Amino acid sequence: MAEAANKKEQKARVSMPEQEPKVRARNFLEVPTGYTVKMAQEEASRCLQCKKPGCVEGCPVGVDIPGFIDLIAQGDMTGAIRNLWSKNALPAVCGRVCPQESQCEGKCIVGKKGEPVAIGNLERFCADYERANGTGELPPKAPPTGKKVAVVGSGPSGLTVAGDLIVKGHDVTIFEAFHKAGGVLVYGIPEFRLPKDIVAQEVNFLERLGVKIECNAVVGRTVSLDELFAEGYDAIYVGVGAGLPKFMNIPGENYVGILSANEYLTRANLMKAYKYPEVDTPIPLGKNVVVLGAGNVAMDSARTAMRLGAESVKIVYRRSRDEMPARAAEIHHAEEEGIELFLLTNPTRYIGDANGRLSGMECLRMELGEPDASGRRRPVPVKGSEFEIACDLCIVAVGSGANPLLTSETPDMKLNKWGNIAADEKNGKTTKHGVWAGGDIVTGAATVILAMGAGRQAANSIHDYLTLGW
Amino acid sequence: MFKIVRREEMSQGTVILNEIEAPLIARKARPGQFVILKANENGERIPLTMAETDAAKGTITIIYMVVGKSTALFKDLKVGEGFQDVIGPLGKATHLQRVGKVVCVGGGTGVAVLHPITRGLKEIGNDVTCIIGSRNKGLLILEDHMRAASHDLRICTDDGSYGHHGFVTDVLKDVLKAGDVKLVVAIGPVPMMKAVSNITKDYNVETMVSLNPIMVDGTGMCGGCRVTVGGQTKFACVDGPEFDGHKVDYDELMMRLRAYQAEERKCHEAYCTIRDAR
């Protein structure tokens, strides 16, 4: 047995084919092109089928990872996708955007000696295979309960709640402020990382299950939570995301050519401004672009700027490579595409021309000092190290706070000191009767899968409430 | 779809009125608030402050000048056709209060936005003088509406073809000199609001302006609409659109409004060429 396991460990991870960096850096097509059936089965055969799988522990929604991988290995793709769906409503999304290296793959036993099993790639394969070859058969639904649930926000947590509750027999309506459903999956994550057709199909899947989607509905403005209750909703889930861009608050920040990542990516992704003038929404084209920040949103912004024809794209980050919050794969892809990292560098002011347009920024070199509250070594400025970077476009991707639009209109729902909704960690209950919350509006900006995990917990709690009581 | 139930051309066809079926918005909207409209699938999201709302009928009315491709697309929509998307009501409503003597100054399509505010100020018992202006008589809009909404209406044209020959600011100075003015509301082109604010500052009269910067979502998410007010960055979509006119950095606002000027011109010309060829 031990010998067999060793043989399995020696097999190399099957890498997913990708577009060549030079080619893809100038187009918006997806970067990894997907496994073939043969590749998927070969990769699936690397799984040790552990009795106590660490990978499952590492997954915020507890996907039965050895289970679905075994089904792939046996060639039962329908069984594999059904297994995935039982725990995760959005496998095509998660397979692409989850930080697997710090979750399932980070805990994979195979990874202790070599490279872990490519769980994310296999998850993606299953969902893509189903889309291309599946029967489109819907999962079974419980009989109608007569209870109405409103879901505010159609991002990953809202979609999860809607999907979970519709199959339990409840009547579910999603309210979305934008003109298109999907939340951060459509306005935030770029086409080359998560094709919008895939998001549209996931949303369509929910609609086929019976979920109603009201777009252009700004809850807090068009309608309030209390009005939704008055209209007959029995429970409300709030998953409106972290939609308040943070800026640097340094001089010159309102020059033309400085955009929040939210604005830049919304123009590019939701409004499809990368196709301008085929579509009507413009997007600034920078020759020399600087992106501030080093998370996934910063990588997405930098790679979008490169695809829009920039001559140079620099990521400016005040800490070192080890502290960069982006997924390893995103940093790797960005560097392959020619994006430069200016680490231990902090901007101090923007420089503008006579027309008020950005022409550069002044930066300081930093060095790492003592650890700060976050446990990371605090960057401290190196005296006299000022230097200038010439740039005509700057994208500020230093995080998002809680958008107060809905919460300021709902005074009876308690917030924490950062303006995030105070919700029970175990079940998402807020201090307002009949209202649950989850995702970034509760945790602050985090990941798609954590928002989905919160949605799953809240959906269970909402179901208990609707069947048993608060 | 949000259906257009009434359409009028004003200002020699350069300004368009659309009354649109949007019952949910009409039910909640108050003076000073705006909506975002998008004509079709590939359309741009355009913010416009509402000129009128009718909760009983379930309609809202917008009045806009045709300045680029998106507004040209809006103009080409006929009664019975409609907008793919209308989102609102957005922004804070005007804080209407009884202060005594009020002067409402409007220029261009700003008059349309000024109208419900003027009417509201009059209804709660203020003494309202209204000053509206345009380049010439033919371009003036809503004269009758503004007369009904105020106690005293003054009209100015740049070329003297109607009313006072000159700018609204000339007349404003006269009214301010007469004394007792407690509040000035100015809505129109940015240079007009800047000029009005400069004058009222001299007279130390509180002044409110309504801004319409470039924005995408209108819910505080993109930060594209940031304006400097009293040295602080504000988001016009959620903190406004109305601000203390004495504190707004108008030069920065004008510069930010020009961000996409080149693209807008090219796009508009291309649209008109294709449309006219058909």
Side-chain angles (χ1 to χ4, degrees):
Chain A
M1 262 324 273
E3 223 169 81
N6 276 338
K7 262 184 196 163
K8 278 187 179 177
E9 280 172 45
Q10 280 158 12
K11 266 203 223 169
R13 174 167 158 137
V14 180
S15 57
M16 188 177 276
E18 291 177 352
Q19 283 195 73
E20 283 299 313
K22 271 198 178 144
V23 175
R24 73 182 193 233
R26 298 299 188 193
N27 72 45
F28 278 84
L29 301 175
E30 194 172 11
V31 171
T33 49
Y35 276 158
T36 60
V37 172
K38 193 165 162 261
M39 287 172 173
Q41 287 190 298
E42 194 183 330
E43 181 59 24
S45 74
R46 293 179 68 231
C47 176
L48 299 178
Q49 294 293 318
C50 302
K51 287 255 160 55
K52 280 187 188 164
C55 52
V56 179
E57 272 170 47
C59 175
V61 295
V63 165
D64 171 17
I65 293 164
F68 93 81
I69 290 183
D70 188 42
L71 289 162
I72 295 177
Q74 293 170 28
D76 179 3
M77 304 312 173
T78 307
I81 191 69
R82 295 220 167 270
N83 180 307
L84 268 168
W85 273 338
S86 71
K87 293 286 184 184
N88 182 345
L90 307 170
V93 174
C94 292
R96 288 171 164 84
V97 305
C98 264
Q100 287 97 2
E101 73 264 24
S102 59
Q103 296 179 356
C104 53
E105 293 181 19
K107 300 219 166 168
C108 173
I109 306 298
V110 180
K112 296 247 155 97
K113 280 191 179 166
E115 280 194 282
V117 174
I119 300 166
N121 287 353
L122 290 171
E123 182 180 26
R124 171 185 159 166
F125 165 79
C126 271
D128 290 359
Y129 186 90
E130 166 67 19
R131 229 179 21 260
N133 309 295
T135 57
E137 197 188 318
L138 293 173
K141 261 171 77 173
T145 60
K147 301 287 185 185
K148 281 175 74 178
V149 182
V151 174
V152 185
S154 64
S157 81
L159 293 177
T160 301
V161 171
D164 281 9
L165 292 178
I166 197 82
V167 296
K168 291 190 160 102
H170 307 297
D171 180 358
V172 184
T173 305
I174 298 179
F175 294 86
E176 166 56 44
F178 270 129
H179 54 270
K180 193 168 274 171
V184 73
L185 308 175
V186 295
Y187 76 73
I189 303 176
E191 180 76 18
F192 54 83
R193 206 147 75 78
L194 178 63
K196 298 310 143 215
D197 282 352
I198 289 174
V199 182
Q201 291 202 23
E202 301 279 21
V203 170
N204 178 256
F205 176 73
L206 292 180
E207 287 184 299
R208 282 169 50 223
L209 275 168
V211 173
K212 284 164 274 186
I213 301 180
E214 299 274 354
C215 287
N216 300 323
V218 187
V219 176
R221 287 277 193 268
T222 317
V223 66
S224 69
L225 295 185
D226 288 331
E227 284 166 332
L228 288 175
F229 281 126
E231 282 176 24
Y233 286 94
D234 299 290
I236 301 176
Y237 177 77
V238 177
V240 294
L244 185 74
K246 286 184 184 157
F247 285 91
M248 296 293 293
N249 295 314
I250 54 176
E253 199 138 44
N254 291 346
Y255 284 132
V256 173
I258 303 167
L259 282 77
S260 74
N262 272 359
E263 178 177 2
Y264 187 70
L265 292 174
T266 301
R267 283 178 182 274
N269 303 330
L270 176 73
M271 306 310 295
K272 305 221 175 295
Y274 65 89
K275 294 182 181 171
Y276 180 88
E278 192 189 312
V279 300
D280 297 342
T281 304
I283 189 164
L285 302 177
K287 252 190 200 165
N288 297 296
V289 182
V290 167
V291 176
L292 303 178
N296 290 323
V297 173
M299 300 303 140
D300 286 346
S301 303
R303 298 172 70 197
T304 298
M306 187 57 92
R307 282 160 174 75
L308 286 170
E311 284 170 15
S312 77
V313 182
K314 299 177 177 70
I315 286 190
V316 169
Y317 180 52
R318 66 197 179 111
R319 299 178 192 260
S320 71
R321 183 183 284 266
D322 290 345
E323 288 87 19
M324 288 173 75
R327 286 172 76 201
E330 308 308 329
I331 301 170
H332 171 71
H333 278 147
E335 285 194 287
E336 274 189 341
E337 288 164 15
I339 287 152
E340 303 161 72
L341 301 184
F342 276 56
L343 302 171
L344 290 167
T345 304
N346 202 29
T348 49
R349 70 181 174 98
Y350 300 98
I351 302 160
D353 68 13
N355 296 317
R357 289 182 181 257
L358 180 70
S359 63
M361 73 174 68
E362 188 185 86
C363 296
L364 269 178
R365 297 269 181 224
M366 311 293 276
E367 56 191 5
L368 292 179
E370 294 300 309
D372 63 13
S374 72
R376 300 179 296 182
R377 291 177 67 192
R378 183 193 301 276
V380 282
V382 177
K383 262 198 188 141
S385 65
E386 288 89 350
F387 70 104
E388 262 183 49
I389 299 177
C391 59
D392 54 354
L393 177 62
C394 173
I395 301 149
V396 186
V398 295
S400 285
N403 188 314
L405 194 79
L406 183 150
T407 53
S408 64
E409 298 293 313
T410 318
D412 50 341
M413 190 166 63
K414 264 199 196 139
L415 307 179
N416 69 15
K417 62 176 170 174
W418 297 283
N420 295 104
I421 297 175
D424 189 311
E425 265 182 40
K426 286 189 287 296
N427 56 32
K429 276 184 184 174
T430 71
T431 55
K432 186 173 168 67
H433 189 88
V435 180
W436 283 254
D440 285 3
I441 189 61
V442 171
T443 57
T447 59
V448 166
I449 190 68
L450 283 175
M452 291 178 61
R456 165 67 39 83
Q457 286 179 340
N460 288 334
S461 174
I462 292 170
H463 179 67
D464 287 348
Y465 168 67
L466 295 175
T467 49
L468 304 168
W470 182 258
Chain B
M1 187 187 73
F2 295 78
K3 204 161 82 178
I4 296 173
V5 294
R6 185 165 67 98
R7 181 184 178 283
E8 280 177 31
E9 295 200 0
M10 305 169 153
S11 269
Q12 298 158 349
T14 58
V15 172
I16 306 297
L17 174 151
N18 286 147
E19 185 177 348
I20 305 159
E21 262 177 18
L24 293 178
I25 300 173
R27 188 181 67 176
K28 291 293 278 280
R30 304 209 319 273
Q33 289 188 298
F34 69 95
V35 287
I36 284 185
L37 305 102
K38 184 167 152 292
N40 55 37
E41 185 59 32
N42 287 340
E44 193 182 1
R45 292 168 65 101
I46 300 291
L48 287 170
T49 306
M50 288 173 276
E52 195 75 62
T53 60
D54 188 332
K57 225 171 131 190
T59 62
I60 62 165
T61 300
I62 49 162
I63 296 177
Y64 53 91
M65 191 180 294
V66 179
V67 289
K69 180 186 173 182
S70 294
T71 41
L73 261 174
F74 289 4
K75 180 184 175 176
D76 290 345
L77 295 171
K78 301 180 190 76
V79 170
E81 298 178 337
F83 294 84
Q84 183 170 310
D85 301 288
V86 181
I87 302 107
L90 300 169
K92 288 185 177 157
T94 309
H95 179 57
L96 295 171
Q97 53 176 339
R98 189 171 166 176
V99 292
K101 192 167 177 187
V102 177
V103 183
C104 294
V105 187
T109 49
V111 175
V113 176
L114 190 63
H115 174 243
I117 297 169
T118 309
R119 189 177 51 196
L121 286 166
K122 187 185 172 189
E123 273 167 7
I124 58 170
N126 290 291
D127 172 11
V128 182
T129 298
C130 205
I131 309 167
I132 58 173
S134 64
R135 285 209 308 280
N136 62 54
K137 188 181 177 188
L139 294 176
L140 199 69
I141 62 168
L142 298 177
E143 182 188 342
D144 295 341
H145 286 75
M146 293 311 282
R147 183 161 287 120
S150 55
H151 296 96
D152 180 16
L153 176 70
R154 316 276 186 95
I155 291 166
C156 316
T157 49
D158 297 0
D159 67 351
S161 54
Y162 192 41
H164 170 81
H165 185 174
F167 296 129
V168 286
T169 41
D170 306 336
V171 180
L172 174 65
K173 269 186 207 162
D174 292 343
V175 178
L176 289 172
K177 268 182 208 152
D180 247 12
V181 176
K182 294 287 186 290
L183 173 71
V184 170
V185 181
I187 306 177
V190 181
M192 184 209 92
M193 293 191 283
K194 181 184 177 184
V196 166
S197 299
N198 281 339
I199 292 166
T200 56
K201 214 181 260 178
D202 291 342
Y203 288 85
N204 202 20
V205 175
E206 188 189 336
T207 300
M208 193 202 83
V209 296
S210 179
L211 310 181
N212 193 9
I214 294 170
M215 59 178 75
V216 181
D217 61 291
T219 60
M221 207 200 80
C222 82
C225 65
R226 54 198 198 275
V227 287
T228 301
V229 182
Q232 285 186 316
T233 294
K234 298 279 180 190
F235 290 0
C237 66
V238 286
D239 300 323
E242 291 169 3
F243 292 102
D244 179 345
H246 293 162
K247 293 184 176 165
V248 172
D249 184 338
Y250 295 101
D251 294 336
E252 180 189 275
L253 175 62
M254 283 187 264
M255 161 195 111
R256 290 184 61 80
L257 280 167
R258 285 193 293 266
Y260 298 99
Q261 212 170 28
E263 287 92 339
E264 278 162 6
R265 195 178 303 128
K266 231 163 83 185
C267 210
H268 188 198
E269 280 166 9
Y271 175 73
C272 293
T273 310
I274 294 166
R275 183 193 52 190
D276 296 345
R278 270 205 295 264

